[in-house]
Structure formats: C-alpha cells, structure tokens
Amino acid sequence: MAFEALDELLDESLELPIGGRTYKIPAPSAEIGLRTQALINAAAVAADGGRVDEQVLGDAAERDLYREVLGDAHERMVADAVPWPALKHSALTAMVWIAQDKSAAERFWNAAGDPSRLAPNRAARRRSDAASSTKSRGSTSGTSTRPAPPRGKANKRRK
C-alpha cells in the first residue's frame, strides 16, 4: 500500500456562514499555523497564571493575526462590511481550528465563543449520570472487615 496524496486526504478549509454568505477560510501556511499555535499556548499559560514568553506575544502583536488566520476571506469580509463581532468570531474560530481541529472549531462557532455554552447542558449531564447511578456490586473476595466494638464496652475497658 502506498501513501496517498495528503492534500486529497485532508479537508484543508473551513466554511463559515455569515449573513447569508459562506466564507471559505483556507488552511494557513506552516509559519502562520506555528505562530498561532505558539500564541494559543502562551495564552493558556497566562490564563493559568504562568509566565508568558513576551517574544511570542510581541511577534503576534506586530502582525495582523486575524488577517493571517482568515486568509483571503478577511478581505472579502471587510469588503462585504461584515460586522466586527462576526469578523472577530470568525478569526477566533479559525484559530481554534488551527490549534485543535475542525470539530473543536465547530463547537466554538456554535457556542458563539461563550465558554459556558461549550459545557454539556444539564439534560446531557443527567443522561450520563443515569448511566452511572447503578449500584456497584460488593466485594467478592470473601474477606470482610471486623466490626467495631460497641461504644459502651470500649469505655468500660479503659476504666
């Protein structure tokens, strides 16, 4: 068996619907992907209270990261007067796609970037709790613990 062409195996774009139009976000270059990954890792470290590599953040600040992660779609969004919140959400979704995968980006997109909407809802938690509510069987090893003596007898021995 031979290796198939990778570009035929990978889905290398992201399609985001905004205002009745679909914007196709192309896969970033290796350089942009690596820089985006470094930025997201730095943000995670900072969120956990760790020390962040200022070089990584400085490099990201010098470049237009949203333009880079959106590729050609950025220009079309600006020309179509896409509102800022939609452009920003699109760029952040593309960053999630770059750093993780398409399914994570889809969850982020559909949650409108709200972390509380990313968590499973109460009904889903109840369904998963129901599966684990079955009592476990007791030990079948044949051993048992020795019962504690009644409290009254223990006090009499100490006297």
Side-chain angles (χ1 to χ4, degrees):
M1 184 166 129
F3 288 99
E4 294 183 40
L6 189 58
D7 54 349
E8 293 175 15
L9 298 173
L10 296 177
D11 185 5
E12 296 186 359
S13 65
L14 195 63
E15 294 186 1
L16 303 177
I18 303 171
R21 294 190 178 164
T22 300
Y23 296 91
K24 189 171 185 174
I25 314 302
S29 68
E31 179 187 0
I32 292 169
L34 291 169
R35 192 168 45 247
T36 301
Q37 185 71 49
L39 178 64
I40 288 177
N41 288 340
V45 168
D48 287 341
R51 185 178 165 94
V52 179
D53 182 353
E54 292 181 26
Q55 172 95 27
V56 171
L57 295 179
D59 287 349
E62 291 174 11
R63 296 173 177 86
D64 186 357
L65 187 61
Y66 287 1
R67 182 182 312 271
E68 290 177 340
V69 298
L70 291 173
D72 298 338
H74 182 275
E75 226 174 273
R76 289 191 306 278
M77 289 178 175
V78 171
D80 292 344
V82 168
W84 166 246
L87 188 138
K88 179 180 176 183
H89 186 59
S90 299
L92 293 174
T93 300
M95 291 173 71
V96 170
W97 171 52
I98 292 166
Q100 294 181 29
D101 57 27
K102 193 175 254 187
S103 62
E106 185 178 344
R107 286 190 306 272
F108 181 84
W109 177 267
N110 291 335
D114 181 356
S116 68
R117 291 176 62 185
L118 289 170
N121 65 26
R122 193 175 199 179
R125 284 195 308 268
R126 271 196 227 116
R127 281 192 300 272
S128 67
D129 287 346
S132 64
S133 65
T134 305
K135 292 190 180 244
S136 62
R137 293 178 50 189
S139 171
T140 58
S141 67
T143 62
S144 63
T145 58
R146 193 169 144 195
R151 290 184 180 245
K153 291 182 180 179
N155 288 340
K156 290 179 183 177
R157 287 185 194 154
R158 288 187 186 161
K159 289 184 180 178

